[in-house]
Amino acid sequence: IDLEQYPTGPHIASRMLYTAENSFGDVSDKVVADFGCGCGTLGLAAGLLGAQHVIGLDIDDQSLEIASINADDLELDMNFVQCDIKNFRWRDQIVDNVIMNPPFGTRKKGADMDFLSVALKVASQAVYSLHKTTTRDHVKRTALRDYNASSAEILCELRFDVPCLYKFHKRKEVDIAVDLWRFVPQNSQVKRL
């Protein structure tokens, strides 16, 4: 519950990766990191779309174990790193792009922004991320002003289906409006298409 682990559904995952690849060429032959990878849905999709290499990062060792099994089942060569994104440090920008469905910050205020801050430091080209639509102004302002993004663009608004997973959930499922963002770091070496 504290980690806000909700699975990224196939519709959203396919929409994210299809858009990243077909609109921007940000998956095929790229090094991609999946922050908060959980069972690996986004990273596995990147691998299936021809990413050069995929690295999945998550704090939960059980999720990483499942992600590793999923990668083996799909015959994808991925690396997995157990870490707390807030304390994670890469010396250089060793990934081209970061894809992520971060915690929305419902339980721990600002959790999504912690992920975004680190992602913009390690990605050399772009960050694709889901954030609640209700936080749209804050996300854009913070990314541009505080996290050195050169651009913050909403690619589309999606409905994120949150199934009844925990005891405190009262309804069978809830749809949450989320924005699919594409952020470009200040030091990006890629020109917009």
Side-chain angles (χ1 to χ4, degrees):
I1 293 173
D2 289 338
L3 298 176
E4 293 187 56
Q5 293 177 314
Y6 296 102
T8 306
H11 170 74
I12 288 181
S14 60
R15 183 69 174 263
M16 282 180 77
L17 276 294
Y18 180 85
T19 301
E21 176 58 21
N22 289 314
S23 296
F24 302 96
D26 281 340
V27 180
S28 181
D29 299 320
K30 305 289 186 194
V31 177
V32 176
D34 179 357
F35 278 19
C37 68
C39 63
T41 302
L42 297 176
L44 294 167
L48 291 170
L49 280 173
Q52 177 186 350
H53 188 71
V54 181
I55 306 162
L57 298 96
D58 204 292
I59 196 169
D60 181 9
D61 61 334
Q62 291 177 329
S63 292
L64 290 172
E65 188 175 321
I66 294 168
S68 181
I69 291 168
N70 289 339
D72 289 345
D73 288 349
L74 292 170
E75 298 179 1
L76 292 172
D77 183 26
M78 291 176 59
N79 288 103
F80 296 98
V81 178
Q82 183 180 9
C83 67
D84 182 339
I85 291 294
K86 290 189 311 186
N87 301 322
F88 189 67
R89 303 288 184 263
W90 265 324
R91 293 198 183 278
D92 296 311
Q93 292 175 314
I94 62 169
V95 299
D96 298 310
N97 301 301
V98 173
I99 52 174
M100 61 184 184
N101 172 20
F104 291 145
T106 304
R107 300 296 258 180
K108 252 185 217 173
K109 189 172 173 67
D112 60 332
M113 300 309 286
D114 291 338
F115 274 69
L116 182 58
S117 172
V118 175
L120 281 164
K121 291 175 185 168
V122 303
S124 66
Q125 296 174 8
V127 174
Y128 292 86
S129 186
L130 296 171
H131 297 269
K132 288 170 61 173
T133 299
T134 56
T135 64
R136 183 178 284 174
D137 293 338
H138 172 70
V139 169
K140 184 171 188 168
R141 183 177 52 253
T142 304
L144 295 172
R145 183 188 64 205
D146 300 334
Y147 297 166
N148 293 320
S150 65
S151 71
E153 176 184 7
I154 297 170
L155 302 178
C156 61
E157 184 178 318
L158 301 164
R159 306 302 293 176
F160 192 98
D161 177 44
V162 177
C164 180
L165 294 174
Y166 301 110
K167 287 181 181 181
F168 65 87
H169 286 163
K170 303 292 184 225
R171 291 187 267 171
K172 183 178 175 183
E173 64 184 21
V174 175
D175 281 339
I176 297 174
V178 297
D179 294 329
L180 170 56
W181 288 86
R182 182 176 191 265
F183 302 95
V184 176
Q186 281 284 351
N187 54 356
S188 175
Q189 301 159 4
V190 175
K191 294 183 171 82
R192 286 188 55 95
L193 298 176

